[in-house]
Amino acid sequence: MMPSHAILNSSDCNADETGITDVVAMFRQTAKAQPDVVAIEDDRRSWTYGEVLSSMSSIGQHLQTWIKCQDDVRLNDRVFVGLCLDHSAEAIVSMLGVMDASLAFVPLDPQYPPERLATMIADAPISLIITSADNHGMLSKVSKSCLELGNTMPQWINVDQWIDSNNNAGNTSETKRSTIKRPQELNVANNDSFTLDPDSLAYVMYTSGSTGQPKGVAISHRALMTYCLADEAIYQLQHNDRTLQFSTLNFDIAIEEIFPPLVSGSTVVVRPSTRSQSANELSEIVRERGITAIHLATAYWHSWVELMKASQARVPDCLRLMVVTGEKVSVPHYRDWLQLCDHDVLWANAYGPTEATVSATVFIPPRNWTDGIDETTNMPIGFPLPGYDAFILDANHHQCAIGQTGQLFIGGPALASEYLHRPDLTDQAFQKITVEGDQRRLYATGDLARWLPDGQIDFAGRVDHQIKLGSYRIEPGEIEAACNSLPCVIDSVVGVSEDGGQKRLHVYLAIGEEALSTLQDEPDHARFAADVVDQLRDCLPTYMIPNRFVLMSAFPTTINGKIDRKHLPNSASAITARRETIAMPETNDQIRMAKIWQEILGVEQVSIDDDFFQLGGSSLLVTQVIAKWSHAEHRPIPVRDFFANPTIRSITRCLTGSGDSSSNVAVADTTHRCRVESAFIRSSVDGLHVIWTHPEGQSRQHAVMIESGWGHEWTRGYRNLQQLSMLLARHGFTSIRIDHAGVGQSSGNELTQSHDTFATDLSAVIEETNRRCDVKQISMVGLRLGGNAILEAPPLVSETVRNLGWKLRHTILWDAIESGQAWLSMLDQFHREILTNHTRFCIRRRSDGIDEALGMTLNQKRRSWIESIGLDAQDSGANDCHFIWSKGTRADSNRPQTGTHHHITDDIAWDRLDCVDVAFASPQAFAKVRSILETGR
């Protein structure tokens, strides 16, 4: 028999020392004790415990008032409230507010397909949805799906309408709650003594269902409290912890990221909403935000380790706790982690299904655990958490001996109450079994396991066909049901293949002899698969859509008529969904990048125009690409740049700044190298920041002054102009960039900039360049408003150049502003759409009297100047003026007739809202700038 110490029997872990039995009451107690401590931080603001408490109570009051007005909600009904919110403090406050009203919340991921959300809404059923205005368009599509299913879409309310608008730091007074009585409530009149019924539901988490529909796992307050106390004890939570809220709210890692830290009095830091410029995004977040605790899905942790190793980075020294969960941990990755970590970190491998409230067991390796084990050793999943039971039973429900494999069963008060409205599934999964003389309610995990001699549990795989992919448990039956609902599919079988530790979903599709005969070659098969993917996106979340497809006329069957899985073709023959023909890699960088994609995505061939994410890529796999590229090429890829350029053609352009996409020689292979130098000089402000990029090798004695755009266009163009500077330096030019007053790293106020200060800065920088560099001539390159500005600078600049004995060569204006009035109107529209109309942010920007058109502070004087802007190269005195026009820039009456005009097909999309925050790649513009500088044409 197994060792007696292997089971930690259920203790009274569903109440804290004061007898509190629910998380809301425990949070309320913590908030009253420390109202001024920061509870939640996101990328907009910090919330104190007092502010969260006030807003939580405000939402609870509004919910009870709302229920009182609903004729169709009966007194004994369980009421479910959907939370359709992105990562934000408001989402966390809403969770607490719903529970405070004795209701249960249901996370609704805004990224899910409308049809799936409509199914979840109808299944609960959800009576009300708390959301933000930026999700209204998506919810309108969900409403249409509800009607198609024959259901009514519930009402939705914006969260900012219910959050206490008067809350402020230190305000711990709670709004008096409605006196409406719910059957679960004990005492709503006295908030200090009010507690929730431990057996009432706290939340419902929907997971993949084997019957083809997602199933709702119902978690009670008792279960949530049991888990939070166990988490607090096992991970030694501290008041000064700063826990990263990284996971999507639809995955139960979010539960452990939010509730244990809040009841223990520490801070939850919500993952930033924007992508980072850093190649190692997670490390940057951890360092900048001072994160001390992270809970990551195993696959994400593996990728983070690979990225740190490739970039020769170290584990951030602020990190205290690292919890890895979801899949089997790779021992080689754990060894690498130990090598990368210079300080003590409490590292834990956690295991647990959603049905056991987040985690059920944990393994914390002793200091010498890796001694004497090889790379193929399984890392154990450890001992049960306090308050949890674990049993390994054979087919007859007898306990297995040490080393004997059986099914893992979990017990204790943290088990889910039920699968919502599914008594058949509930009875099948939650069984009454007599163990050690006592009848217990146990959850059959479907996972195989065995006891190790030291009492640890060793995970051994699955009993059934359920798939664990990344952080998710996926029932193949749900994907097969979605495939079988398509008119082009007769039957389907879903499987998972693994190559190099990377799991991928594949699907066999039986489509009939006639349909199969119309597909002549592999491109036809790939296009058919692409049509299937498009249809699956309407009903399945992205992580459940197969990446590979095998098309067959019919499936082989056994003598009993069942699908004979053993005789299905090898999944290696599966093809990738794509519509276009394959464009082969041409440049050295494209060839190297394609090999990395093939390895990570598991495809034999990729086109340089394939979209990484349409090939089955994910944000997790992006980090693997970055890690492998950084390790091999020693050139990091900023995460944000990869998301903005998801094809091999575009990302290699962005990385190299290569001007000629058809060239077989990448920029990095040129004979010239470059050296970057920066300094602060005195001009219109005391600290004017200047960046010189010098050629190492033969110099042309030719300086190029590069002027960027303003406002958000300065942000969009920064990396690209940096790449242009490096490209020019590699070809012998000295490039110069300036952060003007109040921009970038320069001091001062940007509102002080004028024509005079701009010309003064240019002249001062030219004189400083003369002192630092061997230069005899200079050209000017301006992007967007930077081009308009240099048109007006030549008089003073020309005088400075003449005094130095230099020659002013070329003036190049790239997508210059043709009409200042039209450009200002575009900025104002972007400002309204993003900051006022909620297309991106959850909280409406309050009127504060500041005129700031999307990142550029304005006043009436500057507005008047912008409105007067036009293009007149003839009157400006600009020397040898060239205009470069990208695709989509429309010619109008303001475009000058003088100068040389060059039209390129790079599409930078200055007027598109979805491109406001993304970097762009413009190889043709780079090539044209270089051509003008070298040949004058």
Side-chain angles (χ1 to χ4, degrees):
M1 295 295 290
M2 66 174 194
S4 60
H5 66 275
I7 296 179
L8 300 184
N9 290 324
S10 299
S11 57
D12 187 17
C13 286
N14 56 346
D16 76 344
E17 295 175 354
T18 64
I20 294 176
T21 58
D22 68 85
V23 166
V24 176
M26 195 170 178
F27 172 79
R28 186 184 296 113
Q29 181 187 65
T30 303
K32 287 180 177 295
Q34 51 177 48
D36 298 326
V37 172
V38 174
I40 308 172
E41 284 185 12
D42 58 20
D43 48 11
R44 296 187 305 280
R45 60 165 288 196
S46 296
W47 296 61
T48 66
Y49 272 85
E51 290 173 324
V52 174
L53 179 60
S54 178
S55 290
M56 174 192 85
S57 299
S58 176
I59 290 175
Q61 179 196 20
H62 279 290
L63 280 168
Q64 290 197 356
T65 302
W66 177 84
I67 290 173
K68 191 174 183 179
C69 300
Q70 305 306 305
D71 295 332
D72 58 341
V73 179
R74 297 185 302 274
L75 188 63
N76 293 320
D77 284 346
R78 294 189 299 186
V79 179
F80 301 99
V81 178
L83 300 183
C84 188
L85 294 164
D86 296 301
H87 283 84
S88 63
E90 289 79 11
I92 298 173
V93 173
S94 297
M95 290 177 172
L96 289 165
V98 172
M99 292 191 297
D100 189 45
S102 299
L103 312 179
F105 67 83
V106 184
L108 300 172
D109 192 331
Q111 301 301 316
Y112 275 10
E115 184 177 322
R116 185 177 180 85
L117 291 177
T119 300
M120 293 161 62
I121 289 168
D123 182 70
I126 289 173
S127 302
L128 177 73
I129 296 174
I130 298 177
T131 186
S132 57
D134 52 326
N135 288 324
H136 283 193
M138 182 274 297
L139 286 176
S140 296
K141 296 177 182 178
V142 175
S143 180
K144 182 179 178 182
S145 294
C146 284
L147 291 174
E148 291 172 352
L149 294 173
N151 301 309
T152 302
M153 178 71 175
Q155 177 187 350
W156 67 73
I157 187 76
N158 288 346
V159 64
D160 56 341
Q161 294 179 240
W162 279 6
I163 285 180
D164 182 4
S165 60
N166 297 316
N167 82 45
N168 50 64
N171 178 11
T172 61
S173 62
E174 298 185 48
T175 308
K176 187 177 179 181
R177 297 168 49 164
S178 166
T179 57
I180 177 173
K181 296 290 184 179
R182 302 295 299 165
Q184 306 98 315
E185 291 179 324
L186 302 179
N187 181 5
V188 300
N190 184 347
N191 282 326
D192 289 329
S193 61
F194 168 68
T195 57
L196 298 164
D197 178 354
D199 294 320
S200 65
L201 297 187
Y203 66 88
V204 175
M205 193 75 69
Y206 275 86
T207 65
S208 178
S210 59
T211 61
Q213 296 292 333
K215 57 180 183 283
V217 181
I219 302 297
S220 70
H221 287 285
R222 185 191 307 279
L224 179 58
M225 185 69 169
T226 299
Y227 173 72
C228 286
L229 293 176
D231 184 288
E232 187 175 18
I234 204 73
Y235 300 134
Q236 304 165 31
L237 299 191
Q238 302 171 8
H239 288 292
N240 59 351
D241 272 334
R242 292 172 59 81
T243 302
L244 181 63
Q245 204 283 285
F246 185 83
S247 173
T248 171
L249 301 182
N250 269 66
F251 184 46
D252 59 2
I253 285 184
I255 299 298
E256 69 175 327
E257 293 170 334
I258 293 169
F259 293 111
L262 289 181
V263 298
S264 67
S266 58
T267 302
V268 175
V269 182
V270 180
R271 182 180 70 187
S273 58
T274 55
R275 307 297 325 187
S276 169
Q277 288 282 5
S278 172
N280 195 330
E281 186 176 29
L282 182 54
S283 289
E284 182 179 75
I285 293 171
V286 172
R287 289 193 180 94
E288 287 189 351
R289 302 300 181 95
I291 301 299
T292 66
I294 310 178
H295 303 254
L296 282 184
T298 307
Y300 277 94
W301 180 78
H302 284 164
S303 295
W304 189 31
V305 171
E306 291 167 5
L307 194 53
M308 285 190 287
K309 185 177 179 181
S311 59
Q312 298 182 333
R314 313 299 294 173
V315 175
D317 57 12
C318 56
L319 192 64
R320 182 194 70 79
L321 171 66
M322 179 72 251
V323 180
V324 182
T325 184
E327 281 187 291
K328 184 174 71 173
V329 171
S330 154
V331 171
H333 282 81
Y334 180 65
R335 289 188 193 273
D336 288 338
W337 169 271
L338 295 177
Q339 292 296 319
L340 295 167
C341 196
D342 301 319
H343 64 290
D344 288 335
V345 173
L346 176 57
W347 191 95
N349 176 32
Y351 160 88
T354 304
E355 290 83 351
T357 313
V358 188
S359 295
T361 72
V362 66
F363 174 64
I364 299 176
R367 192 176 294 273
N368 61 347
W369 182 76
T370 57
D371 294 348
I373 65 171
D374 60 33
E375 307 301 277
T376 61
T377 301
N378 278 345
M379 179 175 285
I381 59 174
F383 296 107
L385 292 175
Y388 287 73
D389 290 335
F391 301 93
I392 299 174
L393 307 179
D394 62 18
N396 297 316
H397 291 169
H398 297 147
Q399 294 196 65
C400 294
I402 294 173
Q404 181 183 352
T405 299
Q407 184 176 180
L408 178 60
F409 287 77
I410 303 295
L415 293 187
S417 303
E418 62 181 300
Y419 290 124
L420 211 57
H421 313 310
R422 297 301 305 269
D424 53 336
L425 292 180
T426 301
D427 292 342
Q428 180 180 340
F430 299 91
Q431 303 175 18
K432 295 290 183 66
I433 299 175
T434 299
V435 183
E436 296 181 337
D438 295 326
Q439 189 179 63
R440 306 167 185 261
R441 181 175 183 261
L442 301 179
Y443 170 65
T445 65
D447 290 330
L448 297 173
R450 62 192 180 99
W451 292 109
L452 298 175
D454 64 355
Q456 307 269 7
I457 300 171
D458 186 26
F459 178 81
R462 287 291 301 174
V463 173
D464 54 19
H465 295 298
Q466 187 187 83
I467 295 168
K468 297 202 74 173
L469 188 66
S471 308
Y472 302 97
R473 290 187 301 155
I474 298 173
E475 295 287 357
E478 185 172 358
I479 303 174
E480 291 165 0
C483 290
N484 295 347
S485 70
L486 305 180
C488 60
V489 175
I490 298 173
D491 205 352
S492 61
V493 173
V494 170
V496 64
S497 54
E498 186 169 354
D499 181 26
Q502 179 64 46
K503 292 181 180 179
R504 301 176 184 88
L505 286 176
H506 60 258
V507 60
Y508 298 90
L509 298 179
I511 61 175
E513 186 66 43
E514 183 178 351
L516 189 63
S517 66
T518 64
L519 307 178
Q520 300 297 322
D521 50 23
E522 186 170 312
D524 284 346
H525 284 241
R527 281 187 284 271
F528 184 95
D531 289 336
V532 171
V533 168
D534 286 345
Q535 295 174 78
L536 291 179
R537 285 198 181 103
D538 293 335
C539 56
L540 293 177
T542 303
Y543 69 87
M544 292 180 66
I545 297 177
N547 306 133
R548 308 289 178 266
F549 296 81
V550 179
L551 305 184
M552 306 173 63
S553 59
F555 293 149
T557 57
T558 64
I559 194 170
N560 296 322
K562 295 182 178 181
I563 297 174
D564 188 352
R565 293 173 178 263
K566 293 182 180 179
H567 288 88
L568 289 172
N570 192 308
S571 62
S573 64
I575 52 94
T576 303
R578 60 160 55 92
R579 298 192 182 281
E580 306 299 330
T581 55
I582 294 177
M584 298 302 294
E586 299 170 340
T587 69
N588 295 335
D589 280 342
Q590 288 176 357
I591 292 169
R592 290 190 285 263
M593 185 66 76
K595 287 181 179 178
I596 292 174
W597 282 32
Q598 287 169 307
E599 179 182 350
I600 288 176
L601 295 173
V603 295
E604 292 185 2
Q605 221 172 24
V606 295
S607 168
I608 60 174
D609 294 317
D610 279 338
D611 186 296
F612 182 79
F613 301 101
Q614 292 182 3
L615 288 180
S618 64
S619 54
L620 168 62
L621 297 181
V622 167
T623 64
Q624 294 185 23
V625 171
I626 291 173
K628 288 186 177 296
W629 176 269
S630 300
H631 179 72
E633 304 297 323
H634 304 292
R635 283 182 288 165
I637 307 174
V639 173
R640 180 172 173 174
D641 283 359
F642 194 101
F643 278 85
N645 300 279
T647 69
I648 291 175
R649 189 191 298 274
S650 62
I651 190 60
T652 53
R653 283 175 178 175
C654 185
L655 284 169
T656 64
S658 177
D660 183 0
S661 62
S662 64
S663 171
N664 284 318
V665 181
V667 173
D669 296 327
T670 61
T671 57
H672 290 302
R673 296 185 179 275
C674 58
R675 174 174 56 88
V676 179
E677 176 186 17
S678 65
F680 291 92
I681 68 171
R682 177 174 294 184
S683 181
S684 63
V685 293
D686 287 340
L688 187 72
H689 187 238
V690 187
I691 307 112
W692 293 270
T693 308
H694 305 283
E696 286 193 352
Q698 186 176 359
S699 170
R700 297 174 184 265
Q701 297 182 308
H702 188 162
V704 182
M705 182 79 72
I706 300 177
E707 281 297 326
S708 62
W710 288 8
H712 81 283
E713 292 179 351
W714 181 88
T715 305
R716 277 199 70 196
Y718 184 85
R719 176 167 172 80
N720 304 88
L721 296 187
Q722 181 186 57
Q723 294 291 331
L724 176 60
S725 297
M726 297 174 67
L727 171 69
L728 296 178
R730 289 176 181 134
H731 290 277
F733 297 94
T734 297
S735 70
I736 312 164
R737 290 176 292 134
I738 308 172
D739 291 342
H740 289 283
V743 177
Q745 297 191 54
S746 290
S747 60
N749 185 341
E750 61 179 351
L751 281 175
T752 64
Q753 290 186 57
S754 65
H755 299 175
D756 293 338
T757 61
F758 184 80
T760 299
D761 289 346
L762 290 183
S763 298
V765 172
I766 289 170
E767 290 176 348
E768 182 67 22
T769 301
N770 184 59
R771 286 189 285 271
R772 292 171 178 263
C773 314
D774 182 16
V775 171
K776 301 300 182 186
Q777 55 188 334
I778 188 169
S779 293
M780 314 286 289
V781 178
L783 175 66
R784 297 294 279 167
L785 198 60
N788 298 81
I790 65 174
L791 267 185
E792 302 179 12
L796 180 57
V797 172
S798 297
E799 181 181 352
T800 304
V801 169
R802 283 195 302 271
N803 292 339
L804 294 174
W806 290 9
K807 181 179 180 181
L808 184 61
R809 288 292 302 274
H810 309 288
T811 301
I812 304 172
L813 281 67
W814 176 9
D815 286 347
I817 306 301
E818 302 170 55
S819 166
Q821 189 172 8
W823 183 68
L824 189 59
S825 176
M826 181 188 76
L827 292 186
D828 286 339
Q829 180 181 351
F830 282 178
H831 184 276
R832 288 192 300 271
E833 289 290 332
I834 289 182
L835 296 180
T836 308
N837 291 342
H838 294 230
T839 59
R840 176 173 160 200
F841 297 104
C842 298
I843 300 297
R844 179 176 285 108
R845 184 183 177 120
R846 293 182 174 88
S847 175
D848 50 15
I850 298 176
D851 184 357
E852 188 179 39
L854 206 61
M856 183 170 63
T857 306
L858 301 177
N859 54 20
Q860 191 53 50
K861 182 178 179 181
R862 177 169 284 192
R863 277 187 171 272
S864 298
W865 171 64
I866 292 175
E867 289 175 348
S868 68
I869 285 177
L871 291 179
D872 194 339
Q874 189 171 21
D875 293 343
S876 70
N879 189 52
D880 190 20
C881 192
H882 294 259
F883 295 89
I884 297 176
W885 303 106
S886 299
K887 179 182 177 181
T889 51
R890 295 170 294 184
D892 59 27
S893 58
N894 294 303
R895 184 166 292 185
Q897 301 302 309
T898 56
T900 305
H901 294 257
H902 310 271
H903 297 273
I904 59 177
T905 59
D906 294 323
D907 189 0
I908 302 177
W910 296 109
D911 58 347
R912 276 175 49 193
L913 187 64
D914 59 326
C915 293
V916 162
D917 287 323
V918 298
F920 59 87
S922 190
Q924 290 190 26
F926 283 14
K928 184 54 65 178
V929 168
R930 178 183 157 196
S931 175
I932 294 169
L933 294 173
E934 291 181 340
T935 67
R937 64 181 186 277

